[in-house]
Amino acid sequence: MNVIKKSYLDCRFGQLHMRSAGEGGVPLVCFHMSPYSGLHYEPFMAHMASDRLVLCPDTPGYGGSDMPLDVPTMEDYAAAMIDMLNGLGLDTVDLMGFHTGTFVALALAHAAPDRVRKLVLPGIPYTDADGRAKRLQMFSGDRPYFTEDGYVQKRWDMGLKGRGAQSDARFIALFAESVRTGVAGMNKGFAAVYRYDPDVAIAALNKPVFIPVPDEMLADSSRAAAKLFKNADLEDWPDMKGDLFDVASDEVATKIKRWLDQ
């Protein structure tokens, strides 16, 4: 197994925390779902980094990365990741995202197309303008940790219901990471998703895109988004659930390597 290292570097919002493993090849940069961090990818990294450098930064405001003072946009997140690439001296990378991370990857590819080779985008939170407006309203305020009785218990129970085959240790670690960002910070990643109109970036994108579709909550929206890309390979993964980067990390890494290397 590859050793996962943790480090900090400077970006425009302060310090950016990231995990890295492996070396060589075209680096794969992985962007996590909200409200988690690069911790989400650790089992996957151990397999994926066998023949390339894998980087998993914490989006600003999540995990160990500093919180932006203002409400961040997807363009802000992408700019922070450009700071990371500059700090590491990386000119060409592949990108992967999951849920929120798919839009971070898309925004980065739009902002710096000459630095991105390929994208892997499972779990795309695509919806139309009306859908974005409705969801943005849901994520515009603080989380009611201290104002709604039983809120923490509800989040815990919901997490248990959707945990899949995650171990107790992983579930607790990820739950703790999800609340680490705080009352005001938890919704910022979600709000950035639904303030972002991905259509312009998708229309401008000329990179190869791989869209795996596991059996999870964003399967239908991923299929809808796949129709908009110029050069997308969609692959159904009906036997994998939302815990694919945990319990199927070896198989997922093998499938993604196969596509990236072709």
Side-chain angles (χ1 to χ4, degrees):
M1 289 289 184
N2 288 279
V3 175
I4 296 174
K5 300 177 181 179
K6 302 172 186 177
S7 59
Y8 285 90
L9 52 81
D10 293 331
C11 77
R12 64 196 62 204
F13 300 116
Q15 287 194 305
L16 188 77
H17 180 255
M18 70 173 185
R19 291 166 172 81
S20 62
E23 60 184 5
V26 177
L28 176 65
V29 186
C30 305
F31 303 119
H32 60 83
M33 64 192 298
S34 300
Y36 300 98
S37 70
L39 175 67
H40 180 246
Y41 286 119
E42 279 196 354
F44 169 77
M45 291 179 75
H47 298 289
M48 193 70 199
S50 63
D51 60 354
R52 72 200 69 210
L53 174 63
V54 180
L55 303 170
C56 298
D58 297 348
T59 304
Y62 293 92
S65 293
D66 287 340
M67 177 74 73
L69 294 177
D70 297 321
V71 178
T73 64
M74 273 300 152
E75 290 82 3
D76 290 330
Y77 289 151
M81 299 310 165
I82 291 174
D83 293 340
M84 179 190 72
L85 297 181
N86 290 341
L88 295 172
L90 297 177
D91 295 325
T92 303
V93 294
D94 293 327
L95 304 179
M96 187 178 78
F98 187 57
H99 288 213
T100 302
T102 62
F103 279 7
V104 177
L106 187 59
L108 176 53
H110 187 60
D114 293 341
R115 302 178 81 158
V116 177
R117 189 183 69 121
K118 293 184 175 184
L119 297 90
V120 181
L121 304 176
I124 304 172
Y126 184 82
T127 186
D128 60 18
D130 288 341
R132 292 196 298 272
K134 291 176 182 177
R135 289 168 176 80
L136 180 58
Q137 189 173 11
M138 293 171 54
F139 295 111
S140 292
D142 295 346
R143 289 292 177 102
Y145 279 101
F146 301 102
T147 57
E148 180 182 317
D149 289 344
Y151 179 74
V152 175
Q153 185 67 54
K154 290 177 185 176
R155 284 208 70 241
W156 177 266
D157 292 343
M158 185 182 300
L160 284 176
K161 185 177 180 180
R163 72 185 287 193
Q166 284 177 344
S167 69
D168 290 347
R170 275 287 286 174
F171 178 78
I172 291 172
L174 289 169
F175 185 84
E177 200 78 339
S178 76
V179 300
R180 181 181 180 184
T181 190
V183 170
M186 182 173 282
N187 280 344
K188 288 187 176 180
F190 296 103
V193 166
Y194 296 116
R195 282 198 305 274
Y196 183 63
D197 180 355
D199 291 335
V200 173
I202 292 174
L205 189 68
N206 289 305
K207 311 292 181 180
V209 179
F210 183 35
I211 304 178
V213 185
D215 180 15
E216 57 100 32
M217 62 188 298
L218 295 181
D220 288 341
S221 60
S222 292
R223 292 189 183 96
K227 298 175 183 178
L228 305 177
F229 289 91
K230 296 185 180 75
N231 186 14
D233 295 324
L234 184 144
E235 187 171 293
D236 282 304
W237 292 355
D239 296 330
M240 295 188 190
K241 307 294 183 181
D243 58 1
L244 72 165
F245 293 107
D246 273 277
V247 300
S249 56
D250 189 4
E251 183 180 359
V252 170
T254 298
K255 289 175 180 288
I256 290 174
K257 284 182 184 183
R258 184 181 303 128
W259 184 83
L260 288 174
D261 293 343
Q262 68 185 7

